[in-house]
């Protein structure tokens, strides 16, 4: 956990936000927030804290999933998750397992015979660009049948 994330958690906890709310806003697990708060002495009874405050609800700030910078959400506009396109691309490249892909196809490469999966409508014949080059310019072909 970075120092910036620690300071954000401390600030939000001092404003009496719950572990769940902080975790959701920062994109980390509840266990991470809870353990940090307990180690830093930020754990406590929130019911007593809310009784002493006014009845006006606080709005939870949101933070960029990549760099942790605070985001300003505007009304009637889609909820932002990233501060910039660069942060968005960086985060999605670092988390490819979270991408929801549709319509997978599994085929064998015409050059090396290795099975590979591709997504989308356009039909793929080669697993990599190198296999395409070998097949195209060197005439390398797999001995087994293709699917």
């Amino acid at each position: 956990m970075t120092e910036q994330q620690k300071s954000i958690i401390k600030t939000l906890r001092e404003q009496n936000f719950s572990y769940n709310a902080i975790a959701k806003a920062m994109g980390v697990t509840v266990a991470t927030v809870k353990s940090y708060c307990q180690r830093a002495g930020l754990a406590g009874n929130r019911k007593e804290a809310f009784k002493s405050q006014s009845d006006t609800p606080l709005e939870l700030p949101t933070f960029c999933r990549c760099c942790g910078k605070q985001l300003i959400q505007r009304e009637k506009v889609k909820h932002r998750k990233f501060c910039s396109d660069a942060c968005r691309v960086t985060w999605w490249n670092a988390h490819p397992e979270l991408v929801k892909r549709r319509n997978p196809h599994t085929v064998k490469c015409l050059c090396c015979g290795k099975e590979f999966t591709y997504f989308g409508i356009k039909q793929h014949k080669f697993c990599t660009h190198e296999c395409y080059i070998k097949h195209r310019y060197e005439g390398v072909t797999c001995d087994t049948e293709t699917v």
Side-chain angles (χ1 to χ4, degrees):
M1 180 179 295
T2 64
E3 292 299 321
Q4 183 181 13
Q5 288 177 324
K6 290 178 183 178
S7 67
I8 291 169
I9 290 174
K10 183 177 180 183
T11 303
L12 293 177
R13 192 63 185 162
E14 287 171 351
Q15 294 175 5
N16 293 315
F17 284 106
S18 68
Y19 298 135
N20 288 334
I22 296 171
K24 187 176 180 182
M26 295 189 60
V28 296
T29 64
V30 177
T32 302
V33 174
K34 187 174 181 179
S35 65
Y36 172 74
C37 289
Q38 288 174 345
R39 281 181 279 139
L42 299 172
N45 190 348
R46 289 184 56 245
K47 289 181 183 177
E48 295 299 324
F50 275 119
K51 285 180 186 176
S52 65
Q53 286 186 348
S54 64
D55 292 335
T56 58
L58 295 173
E59 187 174 323
L60 186 67
T62 54
F63 301 93
C64 177
R65 286 186 178 183
C66 184
C67 66
K69 201 186 309 181
Q70 187 170 354
L71 300 175
I72 298 170
Q73 301 293 344
R74 296 183 302 197
E75 290 185 31
K76 299 181 182 179
V77 178
K78 185 178 177 184
H79 182 78
R80 294 178 66 195
K81 296 177 184 174
F82 303 98
C83 62
S84 66
D85 284 340
C87 276
R88 178 182 52 80
V89 169
T90 303
W91 193 87
W92 281 112
N93 285 338
H95 299 87
E97 70 280 357
L98 298 177
V99 177
K100 295 179 183 172
R101 305 244 179 174
R102 298 183 195 166
N103 201 13
H105 300 282
T106 303
V107 294
K108 285 190 179 181
C109 177
L110 288 179
C111 181
C112 65
K114 183 176 87 174
E115 271 197 10
F116 67 98
T117 302
Y118 70 91
F119 299 90
I121 298 171
K122 185 180 174 190
Q123 186 177 10
H124 295 259
K125 297 177 183 177
F126 304 99
C127 59
T128 62
H129 185 70
E130 289 79 20
C131 280
Y132 165 73
I133 296 298
K134 282 181 187 176
H135 181 78
R136 173 79 190 254
Y137 297 107
E138 298 173 15
V140 177
T141 306
C142 177
D143 296 334
T144 62
E145 289 185 19
T146 59
V147 174

